Amino acid sequence: MTLNGWLQILLYCGIIIALVKPLGGYMTRIFSGERTFLSPVLIPIERGLYAMAGTSEREEQHWASYAVSLLMFNLFGVVVLYAIMRLQAGMPYNPAGMGAVPPELSFNTAVSFVSNTNWQNYGGESTMSYLTQMMGLNVQNFLSAATGMAIAVGLIRAFSRASGPGARKTIGNFWVDMTRAILYILLPICIVLTLVYVYLGVPQTLGPYVEATTLEGAKQTIALGPVASQLAIKMLGTNGGGFFNANSAHPFENPDAISNLIQMLSIFAIGAAFTNVFGRMVGNQRQGWAILASMGILFIAGVGITYWAEAAGNPLMHAFGLEGGNMEGKEARFGITLSSLFAVITTAASCGAVNAMHGSFTALGGLIPLINMQLGEVIVGGVGAGFYGIILFIIVAVFVAGLMVGRTPEYLGKKIEAKEMKMAVLAILCLPLAMLVFTAIATVLPSAVASIGTAGPHGFSEILYAYTSAAANNGSAFGGLTGNTPWYNVTLGIGMLMGRFLVIIPALAIAGSLVAKKTVPASAGTFPTDGPLFVGLLVGTILIVGGLTFMPALALGPVVEHLVMIAGQTF
Amino acid sequence: MSQAKSASIMDTRILIPAAGDAFKKLNPRTLARNPVMFVVATVSVLTTVLFLRDLAAGNGNLGFSFQINLWLWFTVLFANFAEAVAEGRGKAQADSLRKARTETQAKLLSGSDRTQYKMVAGTSLKVGDVVLVEPGDIIPSDGEVIEGVASVNEAAITGESAPVIRESGGDRSAVTGGTQVLSDWIRVRITAAAGSTFLDRMISLVEGAERQKTPNEIALNILLAGMTLIFVLATATIPSFAIYAGGSISIIVLVALFVTLIPTTIGALLSAIGIAGMDRLVRFNVLAMSGRAVEAAGDVDTLLLDKTGTITLGNRQATSFRPVRGVSEQDLADAAQLASLADETPEGRSIVVLAKEKYAIRGRDMASLKATFVPFTAQTRMSGVDLEGSQIRKGAVDAVLAYVGSGTMPVSGNAAIATQANSDTVRELQAIADEIAKAGGTPLAVARDGKLLGVVQLKDIVKGGIRERFAELRRMGIRTVMITGDNPMTAAAIAAEAGVDDFLAQATPENKLTLIREEQAKGKLVAMCGDGTNDAPALAQADVGVAMNTGTVAAREAGNMVDLDSDPTKLIEIVEIGKQLLMTRGALTTFSIANDIAKYFAIIPAMFLTFYPQLGVLNIMGLATPQSAILSAIIFNALIIIALIPLSLKGVKYRAIGAGALLSRNLLVYGVGGILVPFIGIKAIDMIITAIGLA
């Protein structure tokens, strides 16, 4: 570890913190339906869209109807995306002449992009036509991000609406929230970012791949495409699905340190700002800062461990006289610091884009990305998804803490009772269910074990990482595992659906239940949820409730891999 | 039930039957009420079957698996024991109550003549029957006195041996079945059928027989069931992970890990905590009609307290004589004393005392003065004496002014001048009265022969220490509102002196109810106490309504708690008991979950050591062998239940130090403590069992 490295990490954190208030303020205005500088241009478009959809911003939805709209919309998305992939051979914008994507892979990919996971069992430049990338995958990049944002906003309204007699029991309008998220937030920022990426050297073309002759005289095909436009939303919407197989390690998808910084900032920007939107909407920004502080503590701890482990390197290599940190699987232009930082950001935020191969990290360096995902992607987390994820942990934390101060637990004046607890527990339960049960089956299924790239504990970690990444809707992978088999395509797809929708539905149910509750005014008997005590409590709850479940699996994966490595044993 | 107060936690009269009950509670239907312990019992059955199979086949490490099985069953039994101990304390009280419910004969009246009755069994009485109760009779069932006055011994219910007066009409008309009339007779209309009397409800409440899970308890149970499911996933997936690594894990070890990880500590003690909470109230002589009410007490935001008897001593006392111009203090004191000589009210007596202390006016004999006492009536709102040719009256200022102006005084020759002089005096008197009222006193005007003499200042005496109690409540986040019939000026002064947050002056049953509704509309929970029939609507509306045992049937029906001592200040303690109940649950849940970290460190290295010896590094406690590690963890897990029974019965102490400070304190003790204690405990157990060769 170097001082320079830490300065880069702190610079990153500093910029994110600086972005939180302005972006949070802007998003609050958007989701509250207030005017912004973009309104003159966008309001006619927005109204036109509502008219076409037959809805209106004044029409609010009950949580169940909000959830049904969301589910139908996402189901439609899966079907359309599946169809595009199956039919791409006969459709335009296919200069490389890609054939139809096989059924299981199409299912996996469709689910993957709709659920904001972007797990890729394919290489983009060798599987997908430009049309599929642009009209299929990239469209879902926007829609899945906006879906997450809409849910988070619905949940925030449940807290901010002080319900009394005759008050609304609705949490907003799904179509309106979706439209605003895309039109006012995602699209404008992405247009600017696309231009910046193009300026930095990222390709943006519909032209065919380029044939080049290398110095040795060999023929090389250089893949191109509309990369910059996909890159912008891939990071901003925490999607993470690379245009190219090598994702953000590819020079065309992440040319230099500046593009790397912009990508890292894009991943956290909206997720971090959501804590501020929450604070503003409930009328006390400190509430948002407290949540962000909890996330920040877990994030910095993760960065510290991964950076330390990667910088320390492998003692077995040191024995051969190869000094220094672990550079396997890392790009020289990013180095150890920025690769470690990127890996922790992308797994903390449910993004899944990578600029280095996580599977090549040291055992402890790779442990942190795994834990980040197993905690439920609540360290900033996916756009919107991270926010509603952490609310589930907050509900558990304030429940136990509330009892300990001798009152029926409440958060921001809304009482946490049996129904909220039931839904929070259901949502928290579905992650270990998808992650551990599928891993348990795969580790004893010979055909599934055949997919691993390395024997021993690292092979186990590859399988565990795959299902963890799928259920956490992250999308990054421990390379080495051959995922494009019917078994993995189908089970990872199911894992992604469980991790996405079995959390969304309970989260919306909680919103529906809370919005109808009266807000109890705070008194000296209510413990403050905007101070360091709450931050500590939340961090503890996330680690213990979210983390304890995975101790045995982690012990048999990265932990034992590390201990075995120290002991000098290799596989 | 003062006799029950001595029942200590370690009373063998409770512990021995409880040990027997612990086995009786192994009945699956009883166990099913507690999801966590039900799961433990289920897996214990499984491992016992496996053990018996191995025993028959003679293979496996029988000594080890026998011990694990033993401790698994101990875990269930300890949980049952905790519940049985908690119930046992209630049972002892229920038994003493049952003695009061012995078969009684009732004198059922057939007409209005109280000599015409027939003897029937007490249990055959129906609601609406009218019975006669004479000295020495046990009142056969709950009822309302419709005629007569009697002194009643209610020791069977309240533990208080001093008899109380029960009389028809007014707020002391309710009688309770099982109590005994000592003198005089009363006619009682029965208001409760056999089996649903107050005494019956009390018995079933203290026994915990009909204990319903409270809302917070249900939510907590969901969390615990969820944690259990999560650990099912965590442990059930281990065997296939082990197969991948080329090893295997025995079922007994998996079960041991599973049982130590799931929240058995809180699962085992949860119902004991609930029963003990109700029990604490009962020993405090407060009967909660439901556990829900106890929980609600912990949540109370606003406390409505009657001024008289709660905030101030019941009696106001005279503190000074304030004559109008032209009258000396001595004259006023003399007149006031004369008017009060025969007045037996505390106020009246305090006037006599003050006159004697300040002006050395001695007591005089009414008869020798040929004086007749004019008692206070609700119509005149005055009292006084008629001496020969002279009338002295004292009373509420407006009443006395009305009396003076009504022409009962001798008419003077120049009426106009008299009226002019009189109106000056009236103004002066009113100024004095206002001044007294503003200072929180009650003015009592005195007039002789139609001439205003002045005002006696009566003062409410705020109870000692009450100000500190209110400050404590404020730190608990509870707003206090004083309810009084006084005028706003007086009320404000007393409110300021007592330190309440707000007051409701000139209170009527209607505006009391309105106040409660307004508070509730703001999302607040309201507690109040009351005894009169006109309190009933407010008691029913309040989230926590504490009815005084001396109160009317209507009040007792409307409230969700009954205070057998009829002491309104108890509301404050009731709130604390409610908070204590919730805190104990929260603290033990935190402790239970925090324990898991140490248990992982004990069991994971032991479990995987055969195929990954490197994981021995995680054995940071340095436990002797894999067997001793697993055994120590499961023994610790069982023993901690026993160790925490006293805490769950006594409850975590509530301190009014503000929620934040309270939380950090409890998090430190039960959270951080919960992480550290098992490391020490498991290590100690490991050393012991290794030393005596159990593993």
Side-chain angles (χ1 to χ4, degrees):
Chain A
M1 290 193 284
T2 60
L3 179 65
N4 182 300
W6 276 107
L7 286 177
Q8 292 182 58
I9 292 166
L10 290 179
L11 173 72
Y12 172 77
C13 296
I15 300 176
I16 288 294
I17 291 168
L19 279 175
V20 164
K21 271 190 89 149
L23 191 54
Y26 176 72
M27 285 164 61
T28 308
R29 296 180 70 83
I30 297 303
F31 288 117
S32 310
E34 292 168 33
R35 283 183 75 86
T36 62
F37 68 100
L38 288 174
S39 300
V41 189
L42 294 176
I43 278 184
I45 305 175
E46 190 188 344
R47 297 243 165 93
L49 287 170
Y50 297 152
M52 272 163 61
T55 185
S56 142
E57 53 192 300
R58 282 181 299 278
E59 254 175 55
E60 292 237 332
Q61 288 172 301
H62 185 255
W63 81 266
S65 132
Y66 198 97
V68 169
S69 301
L70 182 149
L71 290 176
M72 294 311 292
F73 185 71
N74 278 288
L75 177 67
F76 180 72
V78 171
V79 172
V80 169
L81 186 51
Y82 182 86
I84 292 176
M85 281 185 278
R86 300 286 296 133
L87 302 173
Q88 69 173 4
M91 296 214 278
Y93 296 113
N94 189 4
M98 302 292 180
V101 182
E104 293 94 359
L105 182 58
S106 297
F107 163 73
N108 182 284
T109 308
V111 166
S112 176
F113 276 74
V114 169
S115 64
N116 199 264
T117 311
N118 299 34
W119 174 272
Q120 295 168 295
N121 273 340
Y122 64 89
E125 63 270 47
S126 55
T127 319
M128 303 298 176
S129 73
Y130 288 172
L131 182 95
T132 308
Q133 297 262 34
M134 285 192 305
M135 288 191 58
L137 305 179
N138 211 23
V139 165
Q140 282 304 328
N141 278 347
F142 278 96
L143 299 182
S144 64
T147 300
M149 292 165 79
I151 300 156
V153 171
L155 192 52
I156 292 173
R157 289 198 186 105
F159 287 102
S160 68
R161 289 185 174 173
S163 195
R168 291 182 291 189
K169 304 239 185 313
T170 52
I171 58 168
N173 180 323
F174 173 71
W175 310 108
V176 172
D177 290 337
M178 279 283 291
T179 308
R180 287 188 177 151
I182 295 174
L183 216 50
Y184 289 88
I185 299 166
L186 298 176
L187 264 179
I189 300 177
C190 282
I191 289 171
V192 174
L193 286 178
T194 303
L195 294 175
V196 173
Y197 288 135
V198 169
Y199 168 77
L200 291 170
V202 177
Q204 177 73 10
T205 173
L206 292 173
Y209 294 173
V210 174
E211 292 286 327
T213 312
T214 64
L215 289 175
E216 296 92 44
K219 285 267 182 223
Q220 189 187 358
T221 306
I222 296 177
L224 295 173
V227 184
S229 57
Q230 188 156 332
L231 178 59
I233 184 64
K234 160 194 148 190
M235 309 313 281
L236 188 70
T238 61
N239 295 285
F243 190 92
F244 299 116
N245 192 27
N247 209 309
S248 283
H250 194 294
F252 283 175
E253 211 165 323
N254 194 358
D256 56 19
I258 295 293
S259 69
N260 193 61
L261 178 65
I262 296 172
Q263 295 194 14
M264 292 194 299
L265 292 171
S266 304
I267 299 177
F268 267 7
I270 291 180
F274 252 113
T275 60
N276 188 253
V277 175
F278 176 67
R280 284 175 195 265
M281 283 196 171
V282 300
N284 176 4
Q285 292 194 41
R286 284 174 54 91
Q287 299 285 356
W289 287 114
I291 296 176
L292 190 63
S294 314
M295 295 169 164
I297 289 170
L298 290 166
F299 173 68
I300 292 288
V303 171
I305 294 171
T306 296
Y307 183 30
W308 166 78
E310 292 308 299
N314 185 338
L316 300 183
M317 306 288 269
H318 297 167
F320 288 114
L322 295 165
E323 286 303 321
N326 173 31
M327 273 301 287
E328 181 192 313
K330 294 187 178 63
E331 295 293 303
R333 66 185 185 284
F334 303 130
I336 288 173
T337 310
L338 293 184
S339 300
S340 303
L341 181 60
F342 199 108
V344 178
I345 294 169
T346 196
T347 49
S350 178
C351 179
V354 293
N355 76 349
M357 295 303 115
H358 293 183
S360 297
F361 276 31
T362 58
L364 294 185
L367 173 69
I368 296 302
L370 253 178
I371 291 178
N372 279 344
M373 295 186 287
Q374 285 166 345
L375 295 181
E377 297 288 23
V378 294
I379 307 169
V380 179
V383 287
F387 182 78
Y388 62 72
I390 204 158
I391 287 289
L392 299 171
F393 279 110
I394 289 175
I395 285 176
V396 174
V398 297
F399 180 75
V400 177
L403 288 179
M404 270 198 286
V405 299
R407 281 176 72 90
T408 293
E410 61 201 16
Y411 183 52
L412 298 169
K414 300 275 187 172
K415 286 210 154 84
I416 306 298
E417 291 166 300
K419 179 159 185 208
E420 290 74 34
M421 189 47 61
K422 199 183 296 172
M423 291 301 150
V425 164
L426 264 182
I428 291 174
L429 188 63
C430 81
L431 285 190
L433 180 67
M435 293 172 183
L436 290 176
V437 172
F438 279 126
T439 305
I441 300 170
T443 46
V444 291
L445 198 71
S447 64
V449 174
S451 278
I452 63 173
T454 327
H458 194 78
F460 176 77
S461 298
E462 286 174 6
I463 298 177
L464 179 65
Y465 196 104
Y467 287 108
T468 302
S469 174
N473 296 143
N474 183 279
S476 69
F478 260 12
L481 187 80
T482 311
N484 190 11
T485 66
W487 163 262
Y488 282 108
N489 274 329
V490 172
T491 53
L492 287 171
I494 295 170
M496 290 186 259
L497 288 173
M498 288 170 70
R500 180 77 167 175
F501 296 103
L502 292 187
V503 177
I504 285 178
I505 296 168
L508 284 175
I510 289 173
S513 161
L514 288 179
V515 79
K517 287 188 185 185
K518 275 187 242 172
T519 303
V520 185
S523 72
T526 34
F527 82 91
T529 52
D530 58 357
L533 182 63
F534 174 75
V535 172
L537 175 75
L538 184 55
V539 168
T541 308
I542 292 171
L543 286 177
I544 291 183
V545 176
L548 275 182
T549 329
F550 298 98
M551 284 265 285
L554 292 175
L556 293 175
V559 174
V560 81
E561 185 189 343
H562 174 75
L563 295 171
V564 164
M565 175 189 80
I566 289 176
Q569 192 185 348
T570 53
F571 290 90
Chain B
M1 271 155 296
S2 48
Q3 69 271 27
K5 279 176 186 145
S6 61
S8 104
I9 292 161
M10 288 306 150
D11 191 338
T12 48
R13 279 172 303 174
I14 291 172
L15 293 186
I16 291 168
D21 286 344
F23 285 92
K24 281 187 210 143
K25 283 171 182 286
L26 286 176
N27 181 340
R29 262 179 306 209
T30 318
L31 278 175
R33 277 173 57 90
N34 182 340
V36 177
M37 293 327 291
F38 185 74
V39 168
V40 177
T42 311
V43 295
S44 304
V45 169
L46 171 76
T47 54
T48 305
V49 170
L50 290 177
F51 170 72
L52 293 175
R53 192 195 63 185
D54 288 347
L55 189 68
N59 56 19
N61 189 345
L62 289 173
F64 173 69
S65 69
F66 173 74
Q67 290 186 63
I68 296 278
N69 268 304
L70 202 62
W71 285 103
L72 286 175
W73 284 113
F74 275 147
T75 310
V76 182
L77 287 171
F78 289 168
N80 290 347
F81 179 69
E83 194 181 75
V85 170
E87 285 173 353
R89 302 210 294 173
K91 277 207 182 99
Q93 288 154 4
D95 288 343
S96 70
L97 286 175
R98 267 205 197 85
K99 288 190 194 115
R101 206 183 48 175
T102 45
E103 188 65 14
T104 50
Q105 290 290 335
K107 295 167 178 166
L108 180 65
L109 292 167
S110 44
S112 54
D113 185 353
R114 71 181 181 91
T115 54
Q116 288 179 349
Y117 60 79
K118 59 177 180 198
M119 297 301 286
V120 297
T123 50
S124 70
L125 291 173
K126 292 186 295 295
V127 175
D129 284 350
V130 177
V131 296
L132 175 73
V133 192
E134 290 177 307
D137 291 352
I138 303 282
I139 298 173
S141 185
D142 295 357
E144 193 168 5
V145 180
I146 52 173
E147 190 188 346
V149 185
S151 66
V152 179
N153 177 1
E154 296 194 337
I157 306 282
T158 63
E160 177 60 58
S161 54
V164 292
I165 300 296
R166 294 286 178 234
E167 60 191 341
S168 62
D171 288 346
R172 287 187 295 178
S173 61
V175 288
T176 310
T179 57
Q180 191 180 28
V181 170
L182 296 180
S183 69
D184 304 295
W185 57 269
I186 43 177
R187 277 185 356 137
V188 174
R189 188 193 295 116
I190 300 301
T191 54
S196 63
T197 64
F198 188 66
L199 201 58
D200 291 316
R201 270 194 289 170
M202 228 171 127
I203 290 169
S204 72
L205 278 168
V206 296
E207 269 190 326
E210 289 168 32
R211 212 176 73 83
Q212 298 284 318
K213 284 198 179 116
T214 56
N216 276 313
E217 202 178 349
I218 292 169
L220 182 55
N221 254 317
I222 292 169
L223 177 66
L224 298 181
M227 297 290 293
T228 306
L229 274 176
I230 286 177
F231 287 117
V232 167
L233 297 173
T235 48
T237 50
I238 291 177
S240 62
F241 299 168
I243 290 169
Y244 171 89
S248 69
I249 311 272
S250 70
I251 287 180
I252 190 95
V253 171
L254 271 184
V255 167
L257 175 65
F258 171 66
V259 170
T260 52
L261 289 180
I262 62 175
T264 46
T265 314
I266 178 67
L269 298 172
L270 192 55
S271 72
I273 295 169
I275 296 167
M278 296 283 276
D279 187 57
R280 264 197 298 282
L281 272 183
V282 170
R283 278 181 297 138
F284 209 63
N285 266 0
V286 174
L287 272 195
M289 294 305 155
S290 70
R292 187 185 277 265
V294 186
E295 260 183 15
D299 285 349
V300 162
D301 301 287
T302 306
L303 211 51
L304 305 190
L305 297 163
D306 278 329
K307 183 197 79 178
T308 308
T310 311
I311 295 170
T312 62
L313 296 169
N315 337 327
R316 286 178 287 208
Q317 291 179 346
T319 51
S320 68
F321 297 107
R322 305 279 301 273
V324 293
R325 235 172 322 175
V327 179
S328 73
E329 278 189 40
Q330 188 78 24
D331 280 352
L332 173 61
D334 186 63
Q337 192 248 20
L338 271 175
S340 308
L341 274 177
D343 182 356
E344 283 303 311
T345 63
E347 288 88 351
R349 261 177 282 165
S350 79
I351 291 173
V352 176
V353 169
L354 184 71
K356 185 177 175 188
E357 280 175 357
K358 252 184 149 174
Y359 304 101
I361 300 170
R362 307 262 302 275
R364 286 163 278 193
D365 182 37
M366 293 282 285
S368 64
L369 290 168
K370 300 208 179 75
T372 33
F373 180 60
V374 181
F376 178 89
T377 67
Q379 281 75 40
T380 61
R381 292 187 295 141
M382 288 187 300
S383 64
V385 283
D386 287 347
L387 298 162
E388 279 172 278
S390 180
Q391 295 176 330
I392 305 174
R393 293 288 182 274
K394 68 175 203 301
V397 173
D398 56 337
V400 173
L401 285 179
Y403 159 77
V404 170
S406 70
T408 46
M409 56 178 176
V411 179
S412 79
N414 194 334
I417 293 169
T419 313
Q420 178 59 42
N422 216 22
S423 72
D424 284 347
T425 316
V426 168
R427 261 197 300 278
E428 193 191 349
L429 186 107
Q430 267 167 339
I432 298 171
D434 282 353
E435 194 187 314
I436 292 172
K438 258 184 220 153
T442 306
L444 210 57
V446 182
R448 182 167 51 201
D449 301 335
K451 184 166 173 277
L452 291 167
L453 296 177
V455 181
V456 180
Q457 179 174 9
L458 294 176
K459 201 167 179 303
D460 264 310
I461 308 296
V462 171
K463 281 186 178 175
I466 200 87
R467 204 183 163 84
E468 289 70 35
R469 297 296 294 273
F470 291 142
E472 193 183 331
L473 283 167
R474 204 167 301 121
R475 283 197 299 275
M476 288 160 77
I478 296 170
R479 209 167 72 93
T480 44
V481 181
M482 182 181 83
I483 307 288
T484 172
D486 291 342
N487 63 61
M489 272 191 293
T490 312
I494 297 171
E497 191 184 343
V500 292
D501 298 308
D502 204 352
F503 62 87
L504 176 67
Q506 286 164 344
T508 61
E510 291 75 35
N511 61 19
K512 224 192 254 191
L513 193 60
T514 315
L515 176 69
I516 294 175
R517 290 208 174 118
E518 278 170 5
E519 289 287 311
Q520 286 172 336
K522 286 186 242 163
K524 294 183 175 179
L525 261 65
V526 182
M528 69 163 286
C529 51
D531 52 5
T533 299
N534 57 15
D535 283 331
L539 277 173
Q541 180 71 33
D543 301 282
V544 178
V546 183
M548 300 294 109
N549 191 44
T550 52
T552 58
V553 173
R556 269 164 41 168
E557 290 290 325
N560 47 16
M561 290 193 194
V562 176
D563 178 12
L564 301 173
D565 296 339
S566 306
D567 170 10
T569 47
K570 270 203 198 158
L571 257 181
I572 298 168
E573 277 89 2
I574 292 171
V575 168
E576 285 188 3
I577 288 174
K579 287 193 178 294
Q580 226 184 354
L581 174 69
L582 296 180
M583 278 172 52
T584 310
R585 282 192 200 134
L588 290 182
T589 305
T590 309
F591 185 83
S592 194
I593 296 171
N595 271 207
D596 281 359
I597 296 173
K599 291 165 183 171
Y600 265 130
F601 277 101
I603 295 184
I604 284 190
M607 198 166 183
F608 300 140
L609 206 63
T610 51
F611 48 99
Y612 282 137
Q614 295 86 351
L615 281 173
V617 181
L618 296 182
N619 181 9
I620 54 174
M621 284 174 270
L623 305 177
T625 63
Q627 271 94 351
S628 77
I630 293 164
L631 204 51
S632 306
I634 194 111
I635 293 175
F636 174 84
N637 193 54
L639 291 183
I640 197 75
I641 295 173
I642 294 285
L644 290 174
I645 290 178
L647 179 69
S648 62
L649 297 187
K650 276 207 320 249
V652 172
K653 190 165 165 42
Y654 178 78
R655 288 174 170 81
I657 50 175
L662 193 61
L663 179 63
S664 46
R665 196 195 142 80
N666 284 338
L667 271 180
L668 195 68
V669 175
Y670 299 100
V672 178
I675 293 174
L676 298 179
V677 166
F679 278 104
I680 301 162
I682 292 174
K683 176 66 185 170
I685 293 170
D686 181 73
M687 284 159 68
I688 294 168
I689 60 174
T690 312
I692 60 176
L694 285 175

